[in-house]
Amino acid sequence: MDIEAVRTFVAVVDNSRFQEAADALSITQQAVSKRIAALEKDLDVRLFIRTARGARLTVDGQAFLPHARELLRVAERADASVRPGRRALRIDVVNRRVASAVLLQDFYRTHPEIELDVVTLDADVDAAAAAVAAGTIDATFHGVPPQRLLPEKVRTGPVIAEPHELLVGPRHPLANARSVTPAQLAGHRIWMPGLGARGEVADYYAELAAAFGLTIDMIGPVFGNEALLDELADSADLATLVGVRSRYMWPDSYDLRRILIRDPSPIYPLSLIWRGDNAHPALATLRDYLGSRRSDTPESACWTPKWDVPAIRRAA
């Protein structure tokens, strides 16, 4: 069905006369007549009766009118769903608890007029970059190893330098420390189940463990964050690592402690990944916002990964 013919039909109804509908649509009266005639032929019914007072709907025209209006609404929604600047900006934050989600929420508070579609893809950097390249998402946040080859037209830029905190229960030996160094963590079991198959994330923690002689246990079933927090609260030797902006909630009775790691601060660097030819105006606004919010820890005070996978595996 010709959507422009349907639009013309509704315009005639709303304006009562063919000439006024033509003026509203910026076309000739002859064009209006041809579109209505084609629509009537397509439907095999008569939609209007012309009178001295204008165009009056037939019974069939009255029956078709609500469906015609709905067709136009659907067409408008379909157009808006793909037109840059009118559809929601689709962003993968990886996990709704971590810094990328917190920063995106801050962006939305600053720009509430921008519609966002926030998703969490269960993907490593390669799969996430492929989703960006395919247009499944507009952008994603991931650590990007410097040697990683990404699809053509995909661009990256550093946006978040996230220091770590140690999360422990009240009976842990380090529970009362104001801060700890990576060297002080040697000999303590750091439990991060489920990271063993997480691509660049697993490589990062393997390199961190090798650099400071840490014991990071990535093996074991994943029962969720609530189960992990419950284990930490009840343990005298279990710990885990979280980002300083990661959001966790637990009952007061757990008395969990978040302890900053410093001298040096291990930094997990997150980059924004997007297509260079993505014309969505909100993407440019987001990139500008992330650039304004970025703050780097002095190089002498932090440790960042080289993501040298062969060396990591030799050390392991």
Side-chain angles (χ1 to χ4, degrees), residues 28 35 91 119 149 155 185 258 272 292 304 306 314-315:
T28 65
R35 289 182 182 180
I91 305 294
V119 300
L149 295 176
R155 303 290 180 264
L185 301 182
R258 297 179 69 145
L272 186 72
S292 71
T304 56
K306 296 181 175 61
R314 286 196 299 272

Side-chain angles (χ1 to χ4, degrees), residues 183-197:
Q184 288 177 285
L185 301 182
H188 295 281
R189 182 187 173 207
I190 300 172
W191 192 35
M192 307 189 74
L195 288 185

Side-chain angles (χ1 to χ4, degrees), residues 283-302:
L283 179 59
T285 305
L286 173 63
R287 289 178 56 207
D288 289 343
Y289 176 82
L290 295 175
S292 71
R293 287 290 305 272
R294 187 182 176 207
S295 59
D296 292 325
T297 305
E299 192 170 320
S300 60
C302 68

